[in-house]
mmCIF file of all heavy atoms in Angstrom:
data_model
loop_
_atom_site.group_PDB
_atom_site.id
_atom_site.type_symbol
_atom_site.label_atom_id
_atom_site.label_comp_id
_atom_site.label_asym_id
_atom_site.label_seq_id
_atom_site.Cartn_x
_atom_site.Cartn_y
_atom_site.Cartn_z
ATOM 1 N N TYR A 258 3.922 5.025 1.918
ATOM 2 C CA TYR A 258 4.349 6.325 2.439
ATOM 3 C C TYR A 258 3.777 6.548 3.838
ATOM 4 O O TYR A 258 4.457 7.062 4.734
ATOM 5 C CB TYR A 258 3.915 7.464 1.513
ATOM 6 C CG TYR A 258 4.471 8.808 1.941
ATOM 7 C CD1 TYR A 258 5.780 9.172 1.631
ATOM 8 C CD2 TYR A 258 3.701 9.705 2.679
ATOM 9 C CE1 TYR A 258 6.307 10.385 2.044
ATOM 10 C CE2 TYR A 258 4.220 10.925 3.099
ATOM 11 C CZ TYR A 258 5.517 11.258 2.774
ATOM 12 O OH TYR A 258 6.034 12.458 3.197
ATOM 13 N N ILE A 269 10.636 6.904 -1.591
ATOM 14 C CA ILE A 269 9.414 7.049 -2.386
ATOM 15 C C ILE A 269 9.403 8.380 -3.125
ATOM 16 O O ILE A 269 9.106 8.435 -4.329
ATOM 17 C CB ILE A 269 8.170 6.916 -1.490
ATOM 18 C CG1 ILE A 269 8.001 5.459 -1.038
ATOM 19 C CG2 ILE A 269 6.907 7.383 -2.225
ATOM 20 C CD1 ILE A 269 6.908 5.251 -0.012
ATOM 21 N N THR A 270 9.729 9.459 -2.431
ATOM 22 C CA THR A 270 9.647 10.782 -3.051
ATOM 23 C C THR A 270 10.884 11.145 -3.867
ATOM 24 O O THR A 270 10.788 11.488 -5.049
ATOM 25 C CB THR A 270 9.411 11.866 -1.985
ATOM 26 O OG1 THR A 270 10.437 11.781 -0.980
ATOM 27 C CG2 THR A 270 8.064 11.678 -1.317
ATOM 28 N N MET A 271 12.063 11.039 -3.255
ATOM 29 C CA MET A 271 13.278 11.549 -3.883
ATOM 30 C C MET A 271 13.868 10.587 -4.918
ATOM 31 O O MET A 271 14.632 11.020 -5.788
ATOM 32 C CB MET A 271 14.324 11.853 -2.811
ATOM 33 C CG MET A 271 13.852 12.828 -1.752
ATOM 34 S SD MET A 271 13.340 14.441 -2.427
ATOM 35 C CE MET A 271 14.935 15.108 -2.908
ATOM 36 N N ILE A 274 9.545 8.633 -7.186
ATOM 37 C CA ILE A 274 8.699 9.647 -7.830
ATOM 38 C C ILE A 274 9.534 10.631 -8.640
ATOM 39 O O ILE A 274 9.145 11.034 -9.737
ATOM 40 C CB ILE A 274 7.841 10.371 -6.776
ATOM 41 C CG1 ILE A 274 6.812 9.390 -6.186
ATOM 42 C CG2 ILE A 274 7.128 11.577 -7.387
ATOM 43 C CD1 ILE A 274 5.922 9.982 -5.122
ATOM 44 N N ASN A 275 10.706 11.000 -8.131
ATOM 45 C CA ASN A 275 11.547 11.951 -8.865
ATOM 46 C C ASN A 275 12.199 11.342 -10.097
ATOM 47 O O ASN A 275 12.781 12.064 -10.914
ATOM 48 C CB ASN A 275 12.616 12.535 -7.943
ATOM 49 C CG ASN A 275 12.080 13.689 -7.112
ATOM 50 O OD1 ASN A 275 10.878 13.951 -7.112
ATOM 51 N ND2 ASN A 275 12.951 14.373 -6.393
ATOM 52 N N TYR A 282 4.605 11.330 -13.888
ATOM 53 C CA TYR A 282 4.253 11.716 -12.520
ATOM 54 C C TYR A 282 2.775 12.096 -12.413
ATOM 55 O O TYR A 282 2.077 11.678 -11.495
ATOM 56 C CB TYR A 282 5.141 12.886 -12.089
ATOM 57 C CG TYR A 282 4.639 13.654 -10.888
ATOM 58 C CD1 TYR A 282 4.608 13.073 -9.624
ATOM 59 C CD2 TYR A 282 4.191 14.966 -11.022
ATOM 60 C CE1 TYR A 282 4.160 13.776 -8.522
ATOM 61 C CE2 TYR A 282 3.738 15.673 -9.929
ATOM 62 C CZ TYR A 282 3.721 15.079 -8.680
ATOM 63 O OH TYR A 282 3.257 15.772 -7.595
ATOM 64 N N ASP A 286 -0.064 10.961 -9.846
ATOM 65 C CA ASP A 286 -0.386 11.971 -8.839
ATOM 66 C C ASP A 286 -1.892 12.165 -8.679
ATOM 67 O O ASP A 286 -2.363 12.496 -7.586
ATOM 68 C CB ASP A 286 0.272 13.303 -9.213
ATOM 69 C CG ASP A 286 -0.017 14.392 -8.189
ATOM 70 O OD1 ASP A 286 0.276 14.178 -7.000
ATOM 71 O OD2 ASP A 286 -0.562 15.445 -8.577
ATOM 72 N N PHE A 289 -2.782 9.963 -5.869
ATOM 73 C CA PHE A 289 -2.076 10.059 -4.591
ATOM 74 C C PHE A 289 -2.976 10.706 -3.543
ATOM 75 O O PHE A 289 -3.819 11.558 -3.866
ATOM 76 C CB PHE A 289 -0.809 10.903 -4.723
ATOM 77 C CG PHE A 289 0.319 10.225 -5.464
ATOM 78 C CD1 PHE A 289 1.362 10.969 -6.004
ATOM 79 C CD2 PHE A 289 0.345 8.847 -5.604
ATOM 80 C CE1 PHE A 289 2.405 10.349 -6.674
ATOM 81 C CE2 PHE A 289 1.385 8.224 -6.284
ATOM 82 C CZ PHE A 289 2.409 8.973 -6.819
ATOM 83 N N ASP A 291 -3.500 13.093 -0.008
ATOM 84 C CA ASP A 291 -3.048 14.465 0.239
ATOM 85 C C ASP A 291 -1.623 14.531 0.773
ATOM 86 O O ASP A 291 -0.829 15.388 0.360
ATOM 87 C CB ASP A 291 -4.005 15.167 1.217
ATOM 88 C CG ASP A 291 -5.389 15.369 0.621
ATOM 89 O OD1 ASP A 291 -5.503 15.341 -0.625
ATOM 90 O OD2 ASP A 291 -6.357 15.553 1.381
ATOM 91 N N ASP A 292 -1.272 13.640 1.705
ATOM 92 C CA ASP A 292 0.064 13.667 2.295
ATOM 93 C C ASP A 292 1.140 13.414 1.251
ATOM 94 O O ASP A 292 2.152 14.120 1.194
ATOM 95 C CB ASP A 292 0.176 12.619 3.410
ATOM 96 C CG ASP A 292 -0.520 13.044 4.681
ATOM 97 O OD1 ASP A 292 -0.921 14.225 4.763
ATOM 98 O OD2 ASP A 292 -0.681 12.215 5.589
ATOM 99 N N LEU A 293 0.933 12.393 0.431
ATOM 100 C CA LEU A 293 1.942 12.062 -0.565
ATOM 101 C C LEU A 293 2.006 13.107 -1.663
ATOM 102 O O LEU A 293 3.096 13.431 -2.155
ATOM 103 C CB LEU A 293 1.663 10.676 -1.160
ATOM 104 C CG LEU A 293 2.703 10.169 -2.166
ATOM 105 C CD1 LEU A 293 4.111 10.241 -1.587
ATOM 106 C CD2 LEU A 293 2.382 8.747 -2.591
ATOM 107 N N THR A 294 0.872 13.652 -2.051
ATOM 108 C CA THR A 294 0.867 14.713 -3.064
ATOM 109 C C THR A 294 1.711 15.894 -2.608
ATOM 110 O O THR A 294 2.518 16.442 -3.371
ATOM 111 C CB THR A 294 -0.571 15.184 -3.352
ATOM 112 O OG1 THR A 294 -1.291 14.129 -3.996
ATOM 113 C CG2 THR A 294 -0.575 16.403 -4.258
ATOM 114 N N LYS A 295 1.526 16.281 -1.357
ATOM 115 C CA LYS A 295 2.278 17.413 -0.802
ATOM 116 C C LYS A 295 3.771 17.101 -0.758
ATOM 117 O O LYS A 295 4.606 17.934 -1.135
ATOM 118 C CB LYS A 295 1.765 17.734 0.603
ATOM 119 C CG LYS A 295 2.433 18.937 1.246
ATOM 120 C CD LYS A 295 1.810 19.217 2.609
ATOM 121 C CE LYS A 295 2.469 20.418 3.276
ATOM 122 N NZ LYS A 295 1.868 20.684 4.613
ATOM 123 N N ALA A 296 4.133 15.901 -0.294
ATOM 124 C CA ALA A 296 5.543 15.525 -0.189
ATOM 125 C C ALA A 296 6.190 15.394 -1.565
ATOM 126 O O ALA A 296 7.333 15.813 -1.769
ATOM 127 C CB ALA A 296 5.667 14.210 0.580
ATOM 128 N N ALA A 297 5.451 14.804 -2.503
ATOM 129 C CA ALA A 297 5.989 14.620 -3.848
ATOM 130 C C ALA A 297 6.214 15.959 -4.537
ATOM 131 O O ALA A 297 7.233 16.164 -5.212
ATOM 132 C CB ALA A 297 5.037 13.755 -4.676
ATOM 133 N N LYS A 298 5.288 16.874 -4.373
ATOM 134 C CA LYS A 298 5.410 18.201 -4.982
ATOM 135 C C LYS A 298 6.645 18.922 -4.450
ATOM 136 O O LYS A 298 7.385 19.560 -5.212
ATOM 137 C CB LYS A 298 4.153 19.018 -4.695
ATOM 138 C CG LYS A 298 4.129 20.376 -5.390
ATOM 139 C CD LYS A 298 2.810 21.090 -5.132
ATOM 140 C CE LYS A 298 2.771 22.445 -5.839
ATOM 141 N NZ LYS A 298 1.488 23.152 -5.590
ATOM 142 N N ALA A 299 6.875 18.808 -3.150
ATOM 143 C CA ALA A 299 8.053 19.449 -2.550
ATOM 144 C C ALA A 299 9.331 18.767 -3.032
ATOM 145 O O ALA A 299 10.330 19.432 -3.333
ATOM 146 C CB ALA A 299 7.963 19.376 -1.025
ATOM 147 N N GLY A 300 9.300 17.437 -3.129
ATOM 148 C CA GLY A 300 10.488 16.704 -3.541
ATOM 149 C C GLY A 300 10.891 16.960 -4.976
ATOM 150 O O GLY A 300 12.083 16.990 -5.308
ATOM 151 N N ARG A 301 9.922 17.169 -5.841
ATOM 152 C CA ARG A 301 10.235 17.346 -7.263
ATOM 153 C C ARG A 301 10.926 18.675 -7.543
ATOM 154 O O ARG A 301 11.493 18.868 -8.623
ATOM 155 C CB ARG A 301 8.960 17.193 -8.108
ATOM 156 C CG ARG A 301 8.497 15.743 -8.174
ATOM 157 C CD ARG A 301 7.314 15.555 -9.106
ATOM 158 N NE ARG A 301 7.653 15.742 -10.510
ATOM 159 C CZ ARG A 301 8.226 14.823 -11.272
ATOM 160 N NH1 ARG A 301 8.561 13.655 -10.762
ATOM 161 N NH2 ARG A 301 8.476 15.076 -12.548
ATOM 162 N N LYS A 302 10.926 19.573 -6.587
ATOM 163 C CA LYS A 302 11.667 20.832 -6.734
ATOM 164 C C LYS A 302 13.174 20.586 -6.763
ATOM 165 O O LYS A 302 13.942 21.442 -7.204
ATOM 166 C CB LYS A 302 11.319 21.790 -5.596
ATOM 167 C CG LYS A 302 9.869 22.273 -5.596
ATOM 168 C CD LYS A 302 9.600 23.191 -4.424
ATOM 169 C CE LYS A 302 8.151 23.663 -4.417
ATOM 170 N NZ LYS A 302 7.868 24.551 -3.255
ATOM 171 N N TYR A 303 13.591 19.417 -6.278
ATOM 172 C CA TYR A 303 15.014 19.113 -6.201
ATOM 173 C C TYR A 303 15.518 18.312 -7.396
ATOM 174 O O TYR A 303 16.701 17.956 -7.439
ATOM 175 C CB TYR A 303 15.317 18.335 -4.915
ATOM 176 C CG TYR A 303 15.158 19.163 -3.664
ATOM 177 C CD1 TYR A 303 13.956 19.167 -2.971
ATOM 178 C CD2 TYR A 303 16.199 19.948 -3.184
ATOM 179 C CE1 TYR A 303 13.787 19.927 -1.825
ATOM 180 C CE2 TYR A 303 16.052 20.713 -2.041
ATOM 181 C CZ TYR A 303 14.843 20.699 -1.364
ATOM 182 O OH TYR A 303 14.691 21.460 -0.233
ATOM 183 N N ILE A 304 14.647 18.020 -8.354
ATOM 184 C CA ILE A 304 15.081 17.266 -9.532
ATOM 185 C C ILE A 304 16.164 18.048 -10.272
ATOM 186 O O ILE A 304 16.004 19.223 -10.591
ATOM 187 C CB ILE A 304 13.898 16.983 -10.480
ATOM 188 C CG1 ILE A 304 12.897 16.031 -9.815
ATOM 189 C CG2 ILE A 304 14.385 16.391 -11.787
ATOM 190 C CD1 ILE A 304 11.674 15.749 -10.661
#
Side-chain angles (χ1 to χ4, degrees):
Y258 186 80
I269 289 173
T270 55
M271 303 301 289
I274 293 179
N275 277 8
Y282 163 68
D286 181 56
F289 287 161
D291 294 339
D292 284 350
L293 183 52
T294 292
K295 183 177 180 180
K298 185 176 181 180
R301 288 185 69 81
K302 294 179 181 179
Y303 291 93
I304 294 178

